[in-house]
Amino acid sequence: AMASVVASVGGPVAVRASSVSSSNDPKPAPARISRSSRRAMLAAPVSIVIATRAPDSADASAPGEWGYADSSNGPLRWGDILDADGKASYPACGCAACQQSPIDLVRTAARGNVRVGSLADRLVAPDKPVTLAVSQKHGTPNYVATDRANGAAVVAPDGARYDFDSLHFHTPAENTVDGVANAMEMHMVHVSPAGDVAVLGVLFRHADADFPANAEVTKLLEKIAADGGREKVRVNLGSLYDSGAGFWEWTGSLTTPPCSGNVRWLLQKGTFGVSAAQREAFREHVGGFPGNARPTQPLNG
């Protein structure tokens, strides 16, 4: 069955909806060890003559480690990754019958499921700039609100409120429209008092003379290398999206392990601009090709 994707429009217009050495390197001559030194080594505690390799947190073979570029632990294998006990670390990521994200939004498929409305119907913008502390989360800059009582929120039709918690970026965009991925996507993560999650996605394409980069996003992407929460950036959250734009809405999942489900998704219709140079710097920061985007998932419902 198809997942229920509702398209809302911003007006009464209907929408179709570590290093390796070469084998040719010269080999050093073995050092000569005197008989007295040899006797001293054999008499020494075992711990000083046996060396072990330090664990490498970035090693793709480490239990539970996931990534994007390595085929052994990339997105197509997240559900197969085992922990140190041999159990699946992220079983939801491999659930073929679950409502997983991201997805491909087909505009014509939403023709019969369209209602008039805009993001202003779902989002509460704060009345002042919000301070975000920058840290690295699995190699990606994560911008976390220093004050959860910042006033920004997603409000569901049933009145459930999800307060703004953090935001991050993916390149290329994870959610696609008619099979096409934009240059970048921002996810604004909101959390309810019960711990439920709502995500607002905003798509970006490369800016040009007639389509300028979003100024607030430019500030954020200047801090991609910051870590530990020491560096902070103040942004106007209401300028990170178009409150008058229509949107798609559906139930999905987190797009990174553990791929937890029951996430309320909103995706803004229309795009903002992002500097091509900043987007490329971001891609290099997260490891280069192929970026940090999970492929689209089946529309299960």
Side-chain angles (χ1 to χ4, degrees):
M2 297 291 285
S4 177
V5 179
V6 177
S8 294
V9 295
V13 180
V15 176
R16 290 174 47 197
S18 29
S19 64
V20 177
S21 60
S22 167
S23 59
N24 295 323
D25 289 346
K27 296 179 174 58
R32 293 182 176 274
I33 303 175
S34 67
R35 182 175 300 174
S36 60
S37 296
R38 188 180 298 115
R39 282 199 300 266
M41 289 174 63
L42 292 174
V46 173
S47 59
I48 69 170
V49 296
I50 296 179
T52 59
R53 181 179 180 270
D56 183 358
S57 61
D59 191 339
S61 63
E65 183 69 24
W66 60 273
Y68 289 96
D70 194 313
S71 61
S72 67
N73 72 340
L76 299 181
R77 299 293 303 275
W78 286 349
D80 302 326
I81 295 174
L82 304 180
D83 61 19
D85 296 324
K87 299 178 181 178
S89 297
Y90 318 111
C93 298
C95 178
C98 297
Q99 292 176 306
Q100 288 285 291
S101 298
I103 63 173
D104 178 43
L105 284 304
V106 181
R107 283 177 286 190
T108 54
R111 185 195 300 271
N113 201 13
V114 176
R115 61 170 172 251
V116 174
S118 67
L119 284 174
D121 300 327
R122 291 283 189 276
L123 302 178
V124 177
D127 55 9
K128 59 183 179 181
V130 173
T131 300
L132 306 178
V134 192
S135 60
Q136 299 297 312
K137 186 176 181 180
H138 211 87
T140 298
N142 192 40
Y143 306 80
V144 181
T146 58
D147 181 10
R148 280 287 300 276
N150 53 65
V154 168
V155 180
D158 62 3
R161 182 183 175 100
Y162 304 75
D163 294 310
F164 174 75
D165 177 81
S166 63
L167 66 84
H168 59 271
F169 296 88
H170 294 270
T171 187
E174 294 195 302
N175 292 295
T176 60
V177 180
D178 292 335
V180 178
N182 279 275
M184 208 166 196
E185 182 172 349
M186 177 183 64
H187 291 164
M188 300 179 69
V189 180
H190 303 71
V191 182
S192 75
D196 297 322
V197 177
V199 179
L200 169 63
V202 180
L203 303 174
F204 293 84
R205 62 182 175 90
H206 288 156
D208 56 35
D210 300 318
F211 191 70
N214 180 283
E216 299 298 280
V217 169
T218 297
K219 289 195 298 185
L220 291 167
L221 294 180
E222 288 172 350
K223 302 288 187 179
I224 59 174
D227 197 8
R230 292 178 296 276
E231 290 196 45
K232 298 175 176 63
V233 55
R234 285 175 61 81
V235 295
N236 182 350
L237 293 183
S239 296
L240 292 175
Y241 58 87
D242 179 3
S243 62
F247 61 95
W248 287 282
E249 185 173 23
W250 71 95
T251 299
S253 74
L254 300 179
T255 65
T256 58
C259 307
S260 306
N262 198 34
V263 174
R264 179 183 293 274
W265 273 92
L266 305 172
L267 183 68
Q268 173 183 298
K269 291 190 173 186
T271 57
F272 278 168
V274 64
S275 159
Q278 283 195 312
R279 181 261 184 178
E280 181 58 26
F282 178 88
R283 190 179 76 151
E284 290 303 313
H285 178 78
V286 299
F289 181 83
N292 65 334
R294 185 189 192 191
T296 55
Q297 304 296 301
L299 293 175
N300 298 318

